[in-house]
Amino acid sequence: MIPPANRPILLVEDNETHYEAMARALRQAGCNQPLVRCADGDEALDYLYRRGRFRSSESAARPIIILLDLNLPGTCGQEVLVAIKSDAELKSIPVIIVTSLSDPGEVRRCYQFGANGFIRKRTGYDETVVTARRLSEYWFQASEVPDGL
Amino acid sequence: MPRQKQSAQRKNESPSTHGTLAPRISTSIVATNPIPPHPSHVVGIGASAGGLEALERFFDHMPPDTGLAFVVVPHLSPDFKSLMGELLAKRTKMPVCQVTDGVIVQPNCIYVIPPRKNMIITAGRLVLTDIESPHGLNLPIDIFFRSLAQDLSDRAIGIVLSGTGSDGTRGIRTIKEAGGIVMVQDDTTAKFDGMPRSAIATGLADHVLPPEEMPQQLLNFTKYPAGMESSSPVVLVETDDKLSEIFNLLRTRHGLDFSQYKPAMVARRIERRMIIHQADELRQYLDLLRQTPDESKKLCTELLIHVTAFFRDPEAFTRLASAVVGKLVEQAAPDETLRIWVPACSTGEEAYSLAMLFHEEQERLQKNVEVKIFATDVDEHAVEQAGRGVFPASIASDLSKDRLERFFVKSGDVYQFSPQLRKSVIFAPHNVLKDPPFTKLDLIACRNLLIYLQPELQKKLLSMFHFALAPRGFLFLGASETVGDLAEEFDSVELRWRIYQKCRPSRLTLDNRSAILGAARDISHRGDLSLQIRTSANESLLGRVYETLIADYCPPCFLVNDKHELLYVFGDASRFLRVPPGKPNQDVLRMVGDDLAVVLATAMHKALAEGGEVSYDNVRFGETDLARRISLRVKPLPKRRFDDKGGEKLLLVLMNERSNSEAAAPEGNELDVAGISTQRITDIEQELRQTRENLQATIEELETSNEELQATNEELLAANEELQSTNEELQSVNEELFTVNGEYQKKIAELTEANNDIHNLFRITDIGKVFLDREGRVRKFTPSATAFVNLLEHDVGRPIEHIAHNLVDVDLPAAVRQVLDEGEPLQRDVRARNGQWILMRVLPYRVETKSGEGVIITFVDVSELKRSEAALRESEAKFHDFYDNAPDLFASLDAATGKVVDCNSRLAATLGLPKADVVGRRIFDFMSVETAQLAQRAFEEFLQTGSLRNIEHTLKRQDGSLVEVTLNASAVRDERSRIIVARAVWHDVTDRKAAEERIRRFAAELEESRAEIARQAASLERQAAELQSRNLELARSNKELDDFAHIASHDLKEPLQSLLFNCRFLAEDFSSRLGADGHARLAALMRQAEKMTELVDSLLQFSRFSRVDLNIQEVDLGAVVTDVIESLPPQIAQSGIDFRVQQPLPTVRCDPAISAVFRNLITNAVKYNDKPERWVEIGVNNGGTAAPNDGHDHVPVFFVRDNGIGIAPRDREKVFEIFRRLHAPDKFGGGTGAGLTIARKIVERHGGKIWVESKVGEGATFYFTLKPDGSK
């Protein structure tokens, strides 16, 4: 059992710069959780199901929350979301969609599939910092998350 | 009221032991109720020919509130409507109605049977049935009377009035049987006496009266108290003097003895007669009887009425058939005749029933036996009727269908008994109480006679039946009758149905028989000597003493009558009497022996002749030595004072034997027998001579009377012949009458039809007519006349002077007088006040050829005619105008010659001749020679076909020039459809020909131009196709461009973002190493990158508006504007600007993207403003007024106005180009230069328009609309 403070935030993000901006913003917002990045959907699912290079549980600790980009090469974010929320074990992990697309239908669909949050990816770095702070405050200070397994 | 007073009197004097009828009367005083719910009596009135008058007279005298109901059954014609109801209604205040089926009979009403119906009354309702054959024999009165009797019994009253035939006669019989009352019109007052006579002949009528006297009698009866009562028993003392006197009277007058009838029945019927005659006491009635032989006859008839029916008690007859009839037929010897007696047969139904039974049984057993049925009744009428064997249709209910078909022949409405079977029944008048019976009978059927008789007489009658029956013969009695005391003499075959069989072959004793006969013969002379002698059942003591004394002391003695018959023997006479051989008889002379017989005969003869006693002593008796001597005394018995002279003379013969001592007396004293014999012979010879002389005289007398009789006979024969010829005459008269009657009926039908015709004629011609008599009084008028003369129904009979009329300037009375005086018709057109034109004619009313009998005024509305005349005149004028002025040439040509009969002026003008010169000449004269030949052929053809169509030819003018014409002609035909006139019309086609030529030329030119146009059109089409394909290409490339812009801008954004992020990372991570200069460069780099991002965003937004479909919804523009102003970037909003927003802004249907329009316009208005006091005005329709440009006032025009720098006219289009900026990037806050482009895009996507008006330096106003302008 990993203490919550050590459980990582899983960021599923293909764009290196975006990942880095979010990572920096989270640190700057005072979030000290470990960060794990998966560059596409298949990798994210490998991680969560501890497959491929994440076969050992040490290398694939259960994330405390998942920040999921929708626009991914290969298995898209929505498919990843459906897979997580269809799995009895994984579906209790909060999944927050982070995307630059803002189709209103997309938002509704994601919540229907079980998303726990939907955040617009900001264009500027300062705004990204604001977003990261709010995320951190909400998920790690304002609310409780389920225990990891 | 005297009537009530009498009743009261009767009430007081009513000791029940008294022999009057008072007790019954006292119990039944009728209350004079107002109107009972049911009629007290129902009066059925039958009438036929002449009956209407009788009915009128009857109802004239009938008060309307009697409580009676009247049902009138006249013989109505099946073919005509009956006016009987209306006619009667005039004579009475009672309601008169034609009967409808099922109507309940109410008091004080008159009901009349409808035509073609039969009617019966049942349970107080009148029920109608259709007559089967309207023209066959139908007896509606009988039918109704029968039902009336059945339904109301003694409350039924039947009245028979004038008419022919005998309808009603059978009906009144049933009414009488039921105890009702019958009245018949006095045949001398009846117009037709057939029906009354037939009814009177039955002797059943209680009253025979003229109709006007009937109501009073009717009311006397119906109001008479006793008439209502019939159930309380009558106590009549059998020995009542008055009653026996009545019986005596009837016996002496009619030979009918009713004393042994049941007193209750007799009393009831006598009482009814008393009521009818309003006799209060029996004494009064007795007086009446004595004075009027008719009444006694009626009383007899009334007492003799019996009810009978076919197979009455069917069960009894069934039993009779099996137990008796079958047996009799079976046991009958081949040549034996079965003898049956039906006493008191009434109208014969029972006798016929038996005949049928015997016939059926014979058939069943297949045995032929001769059957004789003696049917007798005391009532000769009944016997006569029975003999006819004709029965009403109603018997169908008593007989099975099978029997009805087998034994009856239906003729008309009646049934005739089968003639073959009828032969076996012999009808005869016979009084069963008086006349000797038939003998050796196999069956006696005497049903329901005994019940009317007293027990004593019943017994006697039964004894007689016993006597009359053959050994083992059968007796058939009514259901409530028995053989009583004679039960021992009869075996009961069927106890329930009273069928008995004589059980001993013996007959009853002579005594018994003579007792019956004697009693029957002489019932009231019970005290007579000859009967007193007979053995009495209750001998007195004295009688017994007499007997003893006679036996001991009296010499043998016997009673003999004048015929020498031995009646009684006293003492022991055996020495003198012996029974001679041969058939025993009563002759005393044969019993006494030859020697004594002579003496006795002489003595008796002498005693009778002299009337005194004759005695011979010492008569020798017996031839032998043993001869004895006797003294013989013959003594006539003294007469009783009341013994009438016709009574038989009786002699008492005493024989006293002398003792032996006396016998030895001297010879001289002996009676000289020889002398006596000689004396006797002499006497007899004397007597013989006398007798001969008497005989001679008698023979002569007889011869004389014989001759007289022969003469009389001849006379009778002659009279008979006369009567026969008279009869024939009468028959032929009757035939004639029938014919005449038929003719009259036909006449009436014709008259009715003619009358209807006239009525209809009057009605449909709609011509007002008023008929006046010779005094000028209104006799009759038609409804349409009332429009002109103010006549009402009750004006009939008033003089015409009194009647106002609606005609202008007409002296109607004067006109009438004139016509009456002169006899000449008068005719004028006059005007009515309402403006109508009326043809008024006053005509003499003619009877045959004689006038002056009256006047008829007729009014015919000729307004229409006048109008037509005017219209005709006008039309005629019109026709002439057209005819003469028409451009065509008209002529009527005589078909035979082709000559012009008539022509219009145009023809004459065209030919250049006066009209007079044209008419009368042949039409061919106005043609060139060749044309005339052709025309003549055409004309001949026309005479065949009757028509010519568009024949083109030429006419020659007077000056020789030709006119081109077309000819049309039609035919006028006579009644045999031959053509007599040709109507020709020529049309001058000279001008038309020229025009046609021109048209032909134009047409050719037109054809050419049309070909040219077609060529050009083809090339245009090609060009249009090219244009279309180019257009499609353009649209496709436009779409591609849009897509490209979208994808490009999206893909451009990512690297820009990465660039910016990395610049930040660079600044953070290498801050110290960059130095101030490095930071400045990095900042510039980032500014450019951000600028680039904005441009891409604008491009993205623009392309999105081009691509995405509009999401039209209700948008509150006020809220949109407020939101836009509040969300302006801080650097702009800070600057303190006066936003003037028009309140309220409307809510319109559009895409929410409209906010981008307002945002861009407001942002621009704020940015491009260099004034110290900046304001922006936002509103619609210039704050309420229309936009300067016309044509936009139909849709709202929104505007955003500022007091900024303004836009030069040359730039007003350029501002809407994308990325076009008019100022340096850093001036006025910068921008992408895409804002207005996007605004225009959005407005145009809504179908609207955006434009700007401005003055440089003073500000600018942007206008836009959101929908296409409807006016453009």
Side-chain angles (χ1 to χ4, degrees), chain A residues 15 17-18 20-22 24 28 71 100-101 121-126 128-129, chain B residues 1050 1053-1055 1057-1062 1064-1066 1068-1069 1086 1090 1093 1097:
Chain A
N15 186 313
T17 313
H18 285 181
E20 194 174 345
M22 182 51 87
R24 277 169 188 259
Q28 209 166 321
N71 196 10
S100 56
L101 290 174
K121 216 186 262 181
R122 312 310 295 194
T123 45
Y125 179 68
D126 293 333
T128 308
V129 174
Chain B
H1050 195 266
K1053 244 179 100 174
E1054 283 251 338
Q1057 216 171 1
S1058 293
L1059 187 69
L1060 273 171
F1061 282 148
N1062 280 306
R1064 284 299 291 265
F1065 302 159
L1066 192 67
E1068 279 174 17
D1069 295 353
M1086 283 172 73
E1090 272 163 11
T1093 307
D1097 273 342

Side-chain angles (χ1 to χ4, degrees), chain B residues 17 27 134 169 182 332 365 444 587 739 757 981 992 1037 1229 1232 1258:
Chain B
T17 49
T27 57
T169 303
V182 172
L365 299 165
I444 296 176
D587 194 340
T739 320
D757 287 353
V981 168
R992 200 184 80 196
S1037 72
T1232 59
E1258 288 182 17

Side-chain angles (χ1 to χ4, degrees), chain B residues 507-559:
Chain B
R507 296 186 173 184
L508 287 181
T509 57
L510 186 69
D511 266 4
N512 249 341
R513 265 171 57 209
S514 65
I516 301 159
L517 295 170
R521 191 188 302 142
D522 225 350
I523 207 82
S524 67
H525 291 205
R526 268 172 278 174
D528 273 7
L529 172 77
S530 59
L531 297 169
Q532 236 9 357
I533 301 167
R534 71 190 152 91
T535 335
S536 172
N538 44 354
E539 284 168 308
S540 64
L541 175 65
L542 205 58
R544 287 207 302 279
V545 173
Y546 283 144
E547 294 262 315
T548 316
L549 284 175
I550 288 165
D552 286 357
Y553 302 103
C554 188
C557 143
F558 32 85
L559 188 67

Side-chain angles (χ1 to χ4, degrees), chain B residues 463-474:
Chain B
S463 304
M464 192 179 77
F465 288 158
H466 186 274
F467 166 78
L469 282 171
R472 307 302 291 165
F474 292 92

Side-chain angles (χ1 to χ4, degrees), chain B residues 353-420:
Chain B
S353 301
L354 284 173
M356 286 186 255
L357 276 191
F358 273 96
H359 186 81
E360 282 170 358
E361 286 302 314
Q362 285 183 50
E363 272 191 356
R364 189 173 67 81
L365 299 165
Q366 300 192 324
K367 186 174 177 186
N368 219 346
V369 183
E370 197 179 329
V371 178
K372 263 214 171 73
I373 299 173
F374 303 97
T376 64
D377 198 283
V378 72
D379 185 345
E380 291 185 23
H381 284 303
V383 170
E384 202 180 305
Q385 195 190 329
R388 281 197 291 271
V390 175
F391 295 95
S394 59
I395 61 163
S397 59
D398 298 330
L399 289 159
S400 66
K401 204 177 163 217
D402 180 42
R403 278 180 179 149
L404 201 60
E405 281 172 6
R406 281 181 60 195
F407 299 118
F408 290 88
V409 182
K410 186 161 184 183
S411 65
D413 204 31
V414 298
Y415 287 98
Q416 169 81 49
F417 191 72
S418 151
Q420 275 128 323

Side-chain angles (χ1 to χ4, degrees), chain B residues 624-676:
Chain B
T624 60
D625 300 342
L626 291 170
R628 282 163 291 180
R629 290 170 192 280
I630 56 165
S631 65
L632 177 77
R633 278 163 62 197
V634 177
K635 199 174 174 178
L637 224 55
K639 278 186 185 170
R640 291 276 283 261
R641 69 186 142 72
F642 47 77
D643 202 5
D644 58 306
K645 59 183 194 286
E648 58 191 354
K649 288 173 185 144
L650 299 173
L651 298 167
L652 198 61
V653 178
L654 294 145
M655 304 245 193
N656 209 350
E657 190 173 1
R658 292 173 151 239
S659 62
N660 282 340
S661 57
E662 281 172 308
E667 284 287 313
N669 281 352
E670 195 176 330
L671 182 68
D672 180 8
V673 174
I676 289 170

